[in-house]
Each structure stands twice: as C-alpha cells, then as structure tokens.
C-alpha cells in the first residue's frame, strides 16, 4: 500500500468508524432485539424468542390501529402537501412585487422542528382558548366548542391538518427550484403551437419536473411515515391511542413499557414496509433519473 493510499485510508477511517458505531451497529442491534425478549426492567432474562414479538404485534389491537392510522397519516398528508405545495410553487414562479416576502412566509414552517409545530397547533386546537374554535364560533360555523384533540373523531384529522401545514413548504421549495430550471424556449415553442396555459402545464411543465416529483414524493412518504414528533407534540398518541402511528407506538413501547424487543419488532416491520413501498414505487414510475432535480 502506497503512502498516498495509507493517507486516504487514515483520513476516511474516523468517519467510517463513526458511521459503523452510530448507524450500522444500532441498526443491527435493533434487528437482533426484535427476536429477543428484551425488556429494560428484566435484563437478566433476555433470550431469543424467535418470531414471537412479531406474532404479538399483529395480535395487538393497538398495533393494528396504529397501522391503519399510519396509512391515513401518510396518504392524506402527502396528497394535500403535494397539491398545495405545487400550487404555491406555480404561484411563486411568477414575478410579482413582494415575492421574496411571500417565499419567506411559506418556507418558514420548514425551519421549525416537528415537535415545536405540534405544540403550536396543540394550543391552536385547544377547546377552551384555541384560536381555531374561536374563529369557528365567530363565523357561526359551530354552536359549541369542539375538543379537536380530546375527541377520537376529530383527533386524527387534526394532526393531519397540522402536518399538511408543516410539509407544504418542502414541496414548494423543491418544486419551485425545478420550475425555475425549465427553459423558457419550451414555453415559447408551445405558444407557437397554440397551447394555452393548461396545456403548457400538462405537456411541458409536469413532464419536465417529473423526476423531481417522483423523488420528492418518495422521500416525503418515508419522512412522514417515520416521523412521530408532531404527533408527540400535539397528542402523544392520544386520546386513547387514537392518533398513534407505528413510529409513535414504537417510542411508547420503549419509553413507557421498556419493551425493547417489541419496539424493535415494530421498527423492523416499518423497515420492511418502506423497502417494499420503495421497490413498488420505483417499479411503477420506472424512472431512471429519480435523483435529478
């Protein structure tokens, strides 16, 4: 090995060790714990139990409810975040006075943490002093205050509304950057061919930014599915587990039950689901330029 190669290896070694210690070791340890009876308050009795943690998970009504909530959480959050983000990106792609100010307001939520966003919306949805109840009463849309976060009928919809507001900025940022890269010559050629605004959108804009749409929706599904911080800030999974998604349920099993084996099993199930989703998504889109923005 030459001196240059030894220098390169010695330079990369600290970063490689950090990745191994803080990424791959916890991942492998979690996979192993998924097959163990690993409970924080009974560490002397840790042993392998095979697939029992997975069997218990699918027999648990809380897990099944969280699985259903995760589907609602991801689907509705993604649809509204993308549609509203795309509309705002089209709006901000036009030149007008004060565009920078509007961009600042729209991009602001993305600078905050999900947990802080959850706390903000928790107070907004408060049944006694929340601004949302106050506005609905003032406009005569309701006759009495609604317990948005204490009523299971409203709780899941409420956290989805907050998540939609939080995630719009991501799609707006990414799609706006992609829109600004479209050559003006394409629109000029479309105009010469007699295309109106709607046809330009369908036949020029969307096809050109399709790689960005594919990549952003793929990433956003993974992030929404994995991130429980907003739900923890708003409801902590309540009331009665009505807003638990798989990631928040996994955290609950660690924090309150100390059952690392059961929590790891939920984590492994989530990983498998995301891998299957990613493979299916890429097969359906058949995009070879998913990473191009």
């Amino acid at each position: 090995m030459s001196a240059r190669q030894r220098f390169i290896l010695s330079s990369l070694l600290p970063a490689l060790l950090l990745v191994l210690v803080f990424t791959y070791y916890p991942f492998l340890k979690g996979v192993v714990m998924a097959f163990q009876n690993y409970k924080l308050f009974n560490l002397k009795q840790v042993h392998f139990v095979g697939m029992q943690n997975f069997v218990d998970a699918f027999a648990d009504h809380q897990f099944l409810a969280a699985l259903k909530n995760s589907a609602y959480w991801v689907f509705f959050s993604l649809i509204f975040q993308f549609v509203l983000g795309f509309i705002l990106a089209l709006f901000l792609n036009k030149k007008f006075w004060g565009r920078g100010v509007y961009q600042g307001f729209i991009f602001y939520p993305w600078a905050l943490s999900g947990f802080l966003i959850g706390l903000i919306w928790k107070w907004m949805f408060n049944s006694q002093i929340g601004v949302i109840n106050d506005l609905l009463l003032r406009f005569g849309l309701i006759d009495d205050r609604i317990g948005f976060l204490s009523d299971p009928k409203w709780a899941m919809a409420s956290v989805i509304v907050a998540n939609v507001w939080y995630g719009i900025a991501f799609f707006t940022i990414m799609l706006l950057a992609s829109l600004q890269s479209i050559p003006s010559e394409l629109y000029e050629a479309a105009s010469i061919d007699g295309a109106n605004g709607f046809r330009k959108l369908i036949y020029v804009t969307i096809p050109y930014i399709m790689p960005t749409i594919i990549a952003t929706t793929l990433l956003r599904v993974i992030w929404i599915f994995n991130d429980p911080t907003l739900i923890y800030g708003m409801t902590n999974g309540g009331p009665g587990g009505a807003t638990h998604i798989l990631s928040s349920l996994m955290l609950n099993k660690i924090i309150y039950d100390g059952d690392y084996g059961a929590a790891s099993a939920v984590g492994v199930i989530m990983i498998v689901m995301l891998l299957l989703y990613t493979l299916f998504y890429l097969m359906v889109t058949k995009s070879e330029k998913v990473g191009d923005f």
Side-chain angles (χ1 to χ4, degrees):
M1 183 180 291
S2 67
R4 178 181 174 82
Q5 290 174 328
R6 287 197 299 271
F7 174 74
I8 294 173
L9 180 61
S10 63
S11 300
L12 293 176
L13 191 59
L16 180 61
L17 288 174
L18 286 173
V19 172
L20 289 174
V21 171
F22 293 105
T23 301
Y24 291 107
Y25 173 74
F27 170 74
L28 293 175
K29 181 66 174 178
V31 173
V32 171
M33 286 194 297
F35 298 92
Q36 292 179 321
N37 180 35
Y38 201 110
K39 295 184 178 180
L40 183 62
F41 305 109
N42 195 16
L43 294 177
K44 293 182 179 180
Q45 300 297 324
V46 174
H47 59 277
F48 282 93
V49 293
M51 300 293 292
Q52 189 59 47
N53 286 326
F54 297 94
V55 173
D56 292 343
F58 284 102
D60 183 6
H61 73 278
Q62 273 195 329
F63 174 85
L64 297 176
L67 185 62
K68 182 177 70 173
N69 286 343
S70 295
Y72 292 147
W73 169 253
V74 172
F75 179 79
F76 289 107
S77 295
L78 180 72
I79 292 297
F80 286 106
Q81 284 178 10
F82 173 76
V83 172
L84 296 175
F86 187 35
I87 292 172
L88 286 174
L90 291 172
F91 171 70
L92 293 175
N93 194 42
K94 300 182 181 297
K95 294 181 180 180
F96 57 91
W97 185 86
R99 183 172 65 166
V101 176
Y102 283 102
Q103 288 179 344
F105 279 117
I106 292 169
F107 298 164
Y108 171 73
W110 198 245
L112 302 177
S113 71
F115 186 78
L116 180 57
I117 295 291
L119 292 178
I120 293 172
W121 279 88
K122 180 179 181 178
W123 286 108
M124 291 176 64
F125 276 119
N126 187 279
S127 60
Q128 299 302 316
I129 59 174
V131 65
I132 293 177
N133 264 303
D134 184 61
L135 289 174
L136 292 175
L137 285 169
R138 288 176 183 272
F139 284 107
L141 298 176
I142 58 175
D143 297 322
D144 196 10
R145 295 182 179 272
I146 298 174
F148 286 105
L149 301 182
S150 58
D151 188 340
K153 294 185 299 183
W154 291 96
M156 196 64 209
S158 300
V159 296
I160 289 174
V161 167
N163 196 39
V164 168
W165 180 83
Y166 179 36
I168 287 173
F170 169 74
F171 281 109
T172 304
I173 294 168
M174 302 306 295
L175 295 176
L176 177 59
S178 188
L179 288 171
Q180 291 176 342
S181 69
I182 301 176
S184 58
E185 292 81 2
L186 294 178
Y187 290 115
E188 292 172 2
S191 297
I192 293 173
D193 290 337
N196 56 22
F198 179 74
R199 288 184 174 273
K200 289 178 184 177
L201 176 67
I202 298 299
Y203 296 109
V204 177
T205 303
I206 292 178
Y208 193 91
I209 67 171
M210 185 56 69
T212 302
I213 293 174
I214 292 171
T216 51
T217 52
L218 175 63
L219 288 173
R220 195 68 188 128
V221 165
I222 295 172
W223 293 346
I224 294 171
F225 186 76
N226 281 331
D227 188 10
T229 53
L230 188 145
I231 286 178
Y232 252 78
M234 289 185 69
T235 64
N236 198 19
T243 57
H244 263 316
I245 58 175
L246 290 179
S247 55
S248 64
L249 180 66
M250 179 180 67
L251 285 180
N252 263 27
K253 289 184 178 296
I254 294 173
I255 296 171
Y256 297 108
D257 301 336
D259 195 340
Y260 283 71
S264 298
V266 174
V268 170
I269 292 170
M270 291 173 61
I271 291 171
V272 172
M273 291 175 64
L274 287 175
L275 284 174
L276 292 175
Y277 159 76
T278 303
L279 291 173
F280 173 76
Y281 189 86
L282 294 178
M283 287 174 60
V284 170
T285 56
K286 295 181 181 178
S287 175
E288 298 178 357
K289 300 180 179 179
V290 171
D292 293 350
F293 289 94

